[in-house]
Structures are given as C-alpha cells and as structure tokens.
Amino acid sequence: MSRTRTLLALLILVSCLVAPAQAQDPAHAVKGFFQAVSARDYGQAWNLLSTFSQNRIVTMVARDEEMSTEAVRRLFETRDPSICAGFWDPFRTSSHSEIMAGRTFTSGQVAGNRGSVRMEGNDERNFVTVLEEGSWRFGLMETFPPRP
C-alpha cells in the first residue's frame, strides 16, 4: 500500500512539474514571462509565449541555423542545452529580463482574445497578449515584430 502511495505522489509531482504555464490575466503573462527568463526557467518562458511568437521564433532560428522547423521546435520544447545557450541566454541578457521581471505590469483593454498590458513608467508601448486555450500568453513577436 505504501508503495502505491509513493508511486501516486511521484506521478502527481511529475505532472505538476510538466504542466504548461498558465496566466490568469494579461499582465501576469508578460510579467511571468520575464520572471521565467530571468530565473532561467526557459521551459516556463516558452510556454508563456503565444503560438504566433513560438512559430515565428522557430522559423527564424531554423532559417539562421539551416535546420528544419520540426527539429528546432523539439529543441525548444525539450529545453535542449544548445537552445538554452544559443537562444535563451543571449535573449536573457539583451531583453534585460532581470529589470523587466521587477517592473509592475497592468492589464489594459481586452478585445476578444487579445489584451494589452502597460508597464509602469512606460506610456509608449503596449505589450500584446493573446488568450489561448483558456490562458493568457505573451505576444513577444506581436509586440516587437522583427525588422525586415
């Protein structure tokens, strides 16, 4: 009986560890993303990105590295050390994620499945969020589209 309880406890723990990131409102999606990047919790950060942002990042990395999009997506989804070192660590530095993680974000207008988020002290930029499968996701590529 104790063996069954131990197994059950382990299954519950593992399911909690691999559960996708969830944000209850738009502001938590943006703040949670920067907190995850700052903490080097790149799996959590990846799960807080909108599908559009994930797809755009995968496409850009695949093009730059001359790899298939399927292979690159797998690297992100499995938190492969090569993607952590080659993409996430430089992004962590360039995005000033530690500073951003400490900022205050406020949810703004919501229209359908899209929301806007303001960062305290920055009236110039709205961060885009998207409601997907019942959870708010940060639209990184929607907020900061790459230059052609």
Side-chain angles (χ1 to χ4, degrees):
M1 186 70 162
S2 67
R3 195 177 219 182
T4 304
R5 284 187 196 157
T6 303
L7 214 72
L8 183 59
L10 283 173
L11 285 173
I12 291 169
L13 177 63
V14 168
S15 68
C16 290
L17 292 174
V18 297
Q22 301 240 330
Q24 301 302 319
D25 64 59
H28 281 99
V30 177
K31 184 163 183 85
F33 172 79
F34 286 113
Q35 287 174 328
V37 171
S38 178
R40 291 186 172 91
D41 186 349
Y42 300 139
Q44 172 94 342
W46 182 251
N47 289 332
L48 281 167
L49 286 175
S50 69
T51 299
F52 178 83
S53 292
Q54 289 179 351
N55 290 341
R56 193 71 174 268
I57 291 167
V58 165
T59 300
M60 290 168 47
V61 171
R63 183 189 63 230
D64 291 349
E65 299 299 323
E66 299 178 356
M67 296 173 66
S68 73
T69 56
E70 294 81 15
V72 171
R73 184 171 303 283
R74 239 182 338 273
L75 294 175
F76 277 102
E77 289 175 352
T78 62
R79 296 173 301 286
D80 187 274
S82 66
I83 208 73
C84 293
F87 177 83
W88 284 115
D89 287 343
F91 176 82
R92 182 178 182 272
T93 302
S94 67
S95 69
H96 305 284
S97 65
E98 291 178 337
I99 294 169
M100 297 295 283
R103 293 293 186 108
T104 300
F105 294 92
T106 306
S107 296
Q109 188 174 19
V110 173
N113 71 334
R114 292 179 71 92
S116 66
V117 173
R118 298 295 252 176
M119 181 175 66
E120 187 176 283
N122 182 353
D123 293 332
E124 299 169 14
R125 167 131 359 240
N126 275 320
F127 294 84
V128 177
T129 57
V130 182
L131 183 62
E132 296 178 350
E133 299 178 18
S135 182
W136 287 99
R137 310 280 181 195
F138 176 34
L140 177 67
M141 301 307 279
E142 295 92 319
T143 303
F144 303 102
R147 295 184 185 131

